[in-house]
Amino acid sequence: SVGCRQIQDLEIPCVEVDPCGDAQAAAEGAVLGLHEYNELKQKKKPVVTAQLHGSAESEAWHKGVIYAEGQNLARYLMEAPANYITPIKFAEHIEQKLRSFSNVKVHIR
């Protein structure tokens, strides 16, 4: 996580992460460490993508990325000002994120 943040400061677009025996934990740490709320900032940090170094544990890596992206979505919704993420925008944002899943139905009231 710390290494990925330092890479982000160097404005390098991609970083390969060694799984060190636990690809899921490595993916979660890398993706969570790279999260930054830039929505309303004048100067945005460059987006850095984390990739698995090697391909032995790609399924566990993918699972860790999904978990971390879910947590980052929650962070985004939490950190946004209330006048920016209104209840209607909140519902629309969640509906858009879940649209690609066929087994999930969203009911907005």
Side-chain angles (χ1 to χ4, degrees), residues 31-32 63-77:
V31 174
L32 290 172
K63 187 176 182 180
V65 168
I66 290 172
Y67 284 4
E69 286 176 349
Q71 186 171 344
N72 284 342
L73 172 61
R75 288 165 135 184
Y76 168 81
L77 295 171

Side-chain angles (χ1 to χ4, degrees), residues 13 17 20 23 27 30 35 37 39 41 47 52 58 62 67 71 73 78 82 94 98-99 108-109:
V17 178
C20 297
H35 173 74
Y37 185 80
E39 192 74 23
K41 293 184 179 177
V47 177
L52 175 64
S58 63
H62 184 65
Y67 284 4
Q71 186 171 344
L73 172 61
M78 175 197 68
I94 294 299
L98 297 176
R99 186 174 293 148
I108 300 174
R109 299 189 175 171

Side-chain angles (χ1 to χ4, degrees), residues 8-107:
Q8 188 177 36
D9 291 340
L10 296 173
E11 298 183 4
I12 296 173
C14 182
V15 61
E16 286 190 6
V17 178
D18 184 2
C20 297
D22 192 352
Q24 182 176 343
E28 288 178 32
V31 174
L32 290 172
L34 289 170
H35 173 74
E36 178 108 12
Y37 185 80
N38 284 329
E39 192 74 23
L40 302 173
K41 293 184 179 177
Q42 295 285 339
K43 184 179 180 204
K44 299 179 188 309
K45 284 193 175 182
V47 177
V48 178
T49 56
Q51 295 179 345
L52 175 64
H53 179 73
S55 61
E57 302 178 70
S58 63
E59 188 174 319
W61 174 268
H62 184 65
K63 187 176 182 180
V65 168
I66 290 172
Y67 284 4
E69 286 176 349
Q71 186 171 344
N72 284 342
L73 172 61
R75 288 165 135 184
Y76 168 81
L77 295 171
M78 175 197 68
E79 292 174 3
N83 64 342
Y84 185 73
I85 298 287
T86 63
I88 292 170
K89 286 184 181 178
F90 179 90
E92 289 172 350
H93 196 75
I94 294 299
E95 183 181 36
Q96 178 213 2
K97 289 289 184 183
L98 297 176
R99 186 174 293 148
S100 63
F101 298 101
S102 61
N103 59 345
V104 176
K105 293 184 181 184
V106 178
H107 299 281

